[in-house]
Amino acid sequence: MKFVSTRGQCPQASASEALLAGLAPDGGLYVPESLPRLGAAALDPSTPYAARALALLEPFFAGDRLEAALPAICEDAFSFPVPLVPLAGLRAEAGGGRSAPLRVLELFHGPTAAFKDFGARFLARCMESLESSESGKGGAIGLSGSGAKAPLTILVATSGDTGGAVAAAFHRRPGLAVRVLFPERGVSDRQRKQLCCWDANVRSYAVRGSFDDCQRLVKAAFRDPELSARQRLSSANSINLGRLLPQAVYHAHAAVLFMAETGKKPLLVVPSGNLGDVMGAYWARAMGAPIGRIVMAVNANRALPDFLINGDYTPRPSVATIANAMDVGDPSNLERLRAFYPDLATLKREATAHSVSDDQIRHTIARYWAEADYLFCPHSATAAFARGAYYPDEPAILMAMAHPAKFDTVVEPLIGAPVPVPPSLRALLDAPSSCELIDPELAQLFPR
């Protein structure tokens, strides 16, 4: 299997080369040259999650350096529950029924209580395996001044959950270093604690600016030839293929279980910011997962839905919302989506996005708690609102992206009760924290 850039101006790469590079040399994003079809194991509802992941991912790593290690990587990375939870008890919307089955895929049972754990843990184990095999060969690429091999530095821009998941996944892994960049005033208090509770090979930076400033800073680092000559750099954002591929697995997993239980292909409603997660859903469907329509639920950052309405894409400054991890004004993975559907008419037919306001998010959290005894985080609530407002009669799966305890200052006033904190999250919140405050300037991130 080979991977090509969305911009088509550089040579093909293997899976390992694409993972290590992060961004393609021409500035584009790596995508598979072609998508394989899912086999029997991937489509069998009785297949355990890690085995389903292996069955889905194996074709992408055929003939690659990571092929032999892939079974162990999947077993280790995907070692936590991925429950598909029935949701019932909601009163009907005006003009809509409640007979269609509705499920929630809970993606927050990993160590940092967010869906980013899937991609971050997989990527970390892949990179650790690659670094270990390279060290075993005694390779001299990327030597430091002392003659020892310099660590591979992972750059990650985060609007909340990505940075914490990447830091946890890479923490104290030999041969790897991490620099986490987050907007100084753009994350919740508990998210900030998760981003700044690390030591050893992980450094955290609060950037004076927005998530888009953090993202621009990461891209500037990759484009700087002098920096690339003295630093071995890679990315752990959703621009990295190793983050995106495992996200296709849980979309396929949920759809297979839903189809086996109900006999229907589900509508997938996916909270969306940088569009990496929903890109996994499109790939899973194209590979043969029994997925119906795919709907993106965004917050007040309307660049994507406006583009799908008028066909004119205009990046814009991000708008701060209570679903802060989705505060993205220029989503990077739109480039992958446009490469997947290069014809605008096809893209507008296949891609649907709805914007959800803060007030609608608050109303949805309170309503589902009162009527269905189910608690959403602000991001997951965008999916619940979009389904109820636009598709109340369709069999559907809502993607629950993060544990609501991560957003206590938003959620608890709405339900009038404290949200229990999972033990794994509590351990991170109780740890000492520190970070560096910088301007969005490359010279401050990498002083000469």
Side-chain angles (χ1 to χ4, degrees):
M1 171 70 74
K2 294 295 184 182
F3 298 85
V4 297
S5 170
T6 50
R7 302 184 185 180
Q9 300 299 312
C10 62
Q12 297 175 334
S14 68
S16 293
E17 290 167 344
L19 263 67
L20 290 172
L23 202 65
D26 61 0
L29 307 184
Y30 281 114
V31 295
E33 188 176 35
S34 61
L35 287 171
R37 297 294 295 176
L38 296 180
L43 293 171
D44 185 344
S46 67
T47 301
Y49 188 87
R52 192 186 313 281
L54 177 62
L56 188 148
L57 295 171
E58 272 182 323
F60 295 103
F61 292 87
D64 188 78
R65 291 164 56 194
L66 284 168
E67 183 177 20
L70 196 62
I73 289 171
C74 289
E75 282 291 340
D76 190 31
F78 309 125
S79 57
F80 47 88
V82 194
L84 187 64
V85 179
L87 200 57
L90 287 169
R91 293 192 296 269
E93 304 277 0
R98 274 288 175 261
S99 59
L102 178 62
R103 303 289 183 269
V104 178
L105 185 67
E106 293 186 345
L107 299 170
F108 51 71
H109 294 282
T112 69
F115 81 101
K116 304 295 178 77
D117 285 322
F118 289 87
R121 285 165 64 86
F122 180 79
L123 179 61
R125 281 144 184 79
C126 286
M127 287 188 167
E128 182 181 34
S129 179
L130 290 170
E131 288 295 292
S132 175
S133 65
E134 192 65 36
S135 298
K137 296 176 184 176
I141 297 174
L143 296 183
S144 68
S146 64
K149 184 181 179 184
L152 179 65
T153 297
I154 312 299
L155 298 181
V156 56
T158 183
S159 52
D161 295 321
T162 294
V166 169
F170 283 85
H171 188 225
R172 298 188 175 177
R173 294 196 174 271
L176 301 168
V178 177
R179 299 196 182 200
V180 178
L181 290 73
F182 64 92
E184 178 192 10
R185 303 183 187 279
V187 299
S188 74
D189 290 343
R190 285 187 172 175
Q191 284 177 319
R192 188 184 183 100
K193 284 286 293 183
Q194 279 190 274
L195 295 169
C196 301
C197 66
W198 308 100
D199 59 11
N201 64 330
V202 179
R203 297 172 66 178
S204 301
Y205 299 84
V207 178
R208 296 184 181 96
S210 66
F211 168 74
D212 296 322
D213 293 314
C214 299
Q215 193 161 247
R216 278 193 292 271
L217 191 53
V218 168
K219 291 179 179 179
F222 282 103
R223 289 194 297 263
D224 188 288
E226 189 277 331
L227 180 61
S228 296
R230 60 187 174 93
Q231 292 276 350
R232 299 175 60 226
L233 299 178
S234 188
S235 170
N237 276 96
S238 59
I239 60 174
N240 193 304
L241 190 75
R243 277 276 313 281
L244 198 156
L245 284 174
Q247 293 179 155
V249 176
Y250 55 70
H251 292 296
H253 178 74
V256 166
L257 297 184
F258 190 96
M259 184 76 172
E261 182 184 347
T262 68
K264 301 176 184 297
K265 288 185 178 182
L267 167 83
L268 294 191
V269 192
V270 186
S272 300
N274 219 20
L275 307 188
D277 186 36
V278 78
M279 199 67 239
Y282 281 105
W283 285 0
R285 186 176 67 176
M287 293 169 69
I291 296 169
R293 198 158 25 158
I294 298 170
V295 171
M296 292 169 276
V298 305
N299 57 21
N301 290 272
R302 292 192 50 91
L304 177 64
D306 287 350
F307 166 56
L308 295 175
I309 291 170
N310 58 39
D312 181 22
Y313 179 66
T314 307
R316 56 193 73 174
S318 59
V319 176
T321 76
I322 60 174
N324 63 285
M326 293 156 52
D327 291 349
V328 182
D330 184 14
S332 292
N333 282 287
L334 181 57
E335 183 164 340
R336 278 191 173 111
L337 185 59
R338 297 181 76 171
F340 196 58
Y341 295 118
D343 175 68
L344 181 59
T346 304
L347 173 63
K348 293 175 74 171
R349 183 178 67 250
E350 295 292 338
T352 303
H354 299 288
S355 177
V356 182
S357 70
D358 278 0
D359 284 344
Q360 289 166 333
I361 291 171
R362 292 188 182 97
H363 170 77
T364 301
I365 293 171
R367 176 175 179 239
Y368 275 74
W369 177 249
E371 296 182 17
D373 195 28
Y374 193 88
L375 192 55
F376 285 112
C377 82
H379 310 80
S380 312
T382 63
F385 177 86
R387 194 270 181 166
Y390 301 103
Y391 312 96
D393 297 313
E394 293 198 31
I397 298 174
L398 310 178
M399 299 294 160
M401 316 307 283
H403 196 286
K406 300 186 77 169
F407 305 92
D408 55 315
T409 57
V410 174
V411 174
E412 290 181 355
L414 295 172
I415 67 172
V419 181
V421 180
S424 60
L425 179 57
R426 173 56 62 193
L428 299 179
L429 298 179
D430 289 342
S433 63
S434 65
C435 70
E436 301 175 45
L437 180 63
I438 64 171
D439 294 315
E441 299 175 3
L442 199 56
Q444 293 191 28
L445 180 62
F446 288 102
R448 293 181 183 274

